[in-house]
Amino acid sequence: MSAMITVNVELGDRAYPIHIGAGLIGRTELYAPHIAGSSIAIVTNTTVDPLYGDALRAALAPLGKKVTTIVLPDGEAHKNLETLNQIFSALLTERADRKTTLIALGGGVIGDMTGFAAASYMRGVPFIQVPTTLLAQVDSSVGGKTGINHPLGKNMIGAFYQPQAVIADIGALQTLPPRELAAGIAEVIKTGAIADSEFFDWIEANIPALNDCDPTALTHAVKRSCEVKASVVAADEREGGLRAILNFGHTFGHAIEAGLGYGEWLHGEAVGCGMVMAADLSVRLGRLDETSRERLTRLIAAAKLPVKAPALGADRYIDLMKVDKKAEAGEIKFILLERFGNTKITGAPDEAVRATLAASV
Ligand SMILES: NC(=O)c1ccc[n+]([C@@H]2O[C@H](COP(=O)([O-])OP(=O)(O)OC[C@H]3O[C@@H](n4cnc5c(N)ncnc54)[C@H](O)[C@@H]3O)[C@@H](O)[C@H]2O)c1
Ligand SMILES: [Zn+2]
């Protein structure tokens, strides 16, 4: 049996383990301690169910529970109230009760929707995350943010709700489309940049292995990213302060996503480019040295992520950043880099932001 690493998210009575390793989807003993009731509902989509649904059902079979699979349409466009209601309808039809465990099998879209369904079905049922994209393994499955999109805004309806466990099967990443892999690597690079300069060095040295989907390299990348996110979340579960550092690159990145229209660039691609822009602004404001900015930009390019921003026009960028959820009373907050491993959250003079926007396209 292959090696498994466990990272614990320390949240008192809501603490939970993140298990990381190859082949974990098929391991019955990882699910057994977390399933108290007599039934399980797997929530997945039309892409992931044919790939990993059978392995998960085979792992659950020895537990002797009633297992239902809810297969949703694939895509961010379906992360909405209508699809959420599809989950509720299936749960009610199957007479799921307060002890039914939901298992999210898929990427961040499935994880966010299943988590929110679990938070609200009968005022809360247990759920387990089985993330199958790199982005979901390093980011969305950790931290308890769940939710859906509204036609007027992304992730606007949701809840903080922690899973019983996260089971991150590195083997599942082998079937990821290359663009999705790169998008996940963007969040890994972010983690190194904001929190751990040694990890940043490690990513630089191992970027070819990560691009090649090497299981040993991916296991380490997921482990370290989860450790950092878990410690930030443990210190600030509901985003009162510290948790905001996880948004490095996201102020510019969200503007790119919204400005181009969601889905044009993947979130991770926009964050990759957004980090280049945030580093540029950090240098302009005298917080970061030029060599570090160059290193970060080179690494993002090596991860096959975009480093040139789309030309939306400076006014449009600034408007979009002002309506971002993280802006406070219309003042844009930037997460700036001060060396690798250190950040500073601050407003920035309009001229500096415009200079960065002009230099980034
Ligand atoms: N909750 C949080 O804290 C948080 C953090 C970051 C992102 N998110 C959310 O996560 C979502 C993005 O997640 P994502 O990047 O995983 O996208 P996704 O869930 O859309 O998955 C990307 C694509 O890969 C497919 N896929 C999944 N696993 C696969 C596999 N192993 N092999 C082949 N294809 C596979 C999916 O079906 C989909 O087509 C967004 O909705 C975002 O808002 C949430
Ligand atoms: Zn992100």
Side-chain angles (χ1 to χ4, degrees):
M1 204 162 279
S2 55
M4 179 178 89
I5 293 167
T6 299
V7 175
N8 288 302
V9 185
E10 305 294 351
L11 285 170
D13 59 0
R14 279 165 293 107
Y16 59 91
I18 303 168
H19 301 300
I20 303 158
L24 301 193
I25 287 178
R27 284 171 61 171
T28 306
E29 78 278 13
L30 299 181
Y31 305 92
H34 305 293
I35 296 171
S38 57
S39 63
I40 298 166
I42 299 168
V43 183
T44 184
N45 70 24
T46 49
T47 304
V48 180
D49 187 49
L51 292 169
Y52 303 107
D54 284 345
L56 175 55
R57 283 181 288 270
L60 298 173
L63 301 176
K65 317 269 178 181
K66 178 186 168 194
V67 179
T68 308
T69 304
I70 303 170
V71 183
L72 303 174
D74 186 6
E76 182 77 32
H78 299 283
K79 188 175 143 180
N80 58 22
L81 199 54
E82 193 189 333
T83 314
L84 181 71
N85 202 37
Q86 214 175 309
I87 302 177
F88 294 142
S89 300
L91 292 173
L92 289 163
T93 305
E94 294 294 329
R95 300 185 190 288
D97 60 28
R98 286 196 178 81
K99 287 191 172 164
T100 299
T101 297
L102 305 195
I103 300 183
L105 175 69
V109 168
I110 287 293
D112 279 13
M113 274 197 297
T114 308
F116 189 44
S120 47
Y121 183 73
M122 294 195 173
R123 300 193 184 84
V125 294
F127 90 111
I128 296 172
Q129 292 266 24
V130 183
T132 60
T133 64
L134 181 59
L135 184 118
Q137 295 187 353
V138 300
D139 192 355
S140 64
S141 68
V142 182
K145 283 192 188 177
T146 71
I148 56 169
N149 301 326
H150 184 279
L152 297 180
K154 198 172 176 304
N155 290 328
M156 284 297 167
I157 316 294
F160 283 99
Y161 196 66
Q162 304 294 346
Q164 305 298 307
V166 179
I167 298 169
D169 188 338
I170 298 298
L173 303 179
Q174 295 297 330
T175 53
L176 263 192
R179 264 183 86 189
E180 300 288 350
L181 182 74
I185 293 174
E187 301 283 0
V188 174
I189 294 171
K190 176 197 77 180
T191 304
I194 61 172
D196 183 346
S197 66
E198 265 179 46
F199 183 43
F200 188 88
D201 297 345
W202 180 91
I203 303 166
E204 267 184 330
N206 289 275
I207 193 69
L210 292 171
N211 289 339
D212 282 352
C213 221
D214 173 75
T216 310
L218 283 170
T219 300
H220 182 71
V222 173
K223 169 188 173 271
R224 192 65 198 121
S225 301
C226 286
E227 282 172 349
V228 169
K229 186 158 185 193
S231 71
V232 170
V233 167
D236 179 20
E237 188 179 4
R238 286 172 174 261
E239 197 156 331
L242 179 66
R243 195 165 169 165
I245 69 169
L246 298 170
N247 285 313
F248 176 59
H250 284 58
T251 311
F252 290 108
H254 286 152
I256 293 173
E257 286 184 274
L260 288 176
Y262 287 101
E264 196 58 39
W265 282 23
L266 296 177
H267 172 73
E269 292 171 335
V271 168
C273 186
M275 289 191 284
V276 172
M277 297 166 88
D280 180 281
L281 184 61
S282 306
V283 171
R284 275 174 212 283
L285 297 178
R287 296 195 178 267
L288 186 69
D289 62 285
E290 177 59 20
T291 313
S292 300
R293 186 192 67 77
E294 280 169 13
R295 275 179 69 191
L296 181 64
T297 306
R298 228 179 297 121
L299 180 56
I300 290 166
K304 305 184 195 318
L305 292 158
V307 292
K308 286 268 170 238
L312 303 173
D315 291 340
R316 176 98 171 105
Y317 267 104
I318 289 169
D319 285 347
L320 286 164
M321 291 193 287
K322 277 189 179 152
V323 298
D324 192 67
K325 240 191 319 193
K326 269 82 189 183
E328 284 171 18
E331 199 204 4
I332 310 166
K333 293 283 181 193
F334 292 96
I335 293 106
L336 300 180
L337 207 54
E338 306 184 308
R339 312 190 298 281
F340 294 122
N342 270 294
T343 51
K344 173 84 186 169
I345 303 180
T346 171
D350 199 53
E351 318 81 76
V353 176
R354 285 178 184 275
T356 287
L357 290 168
S360 300
V361 291

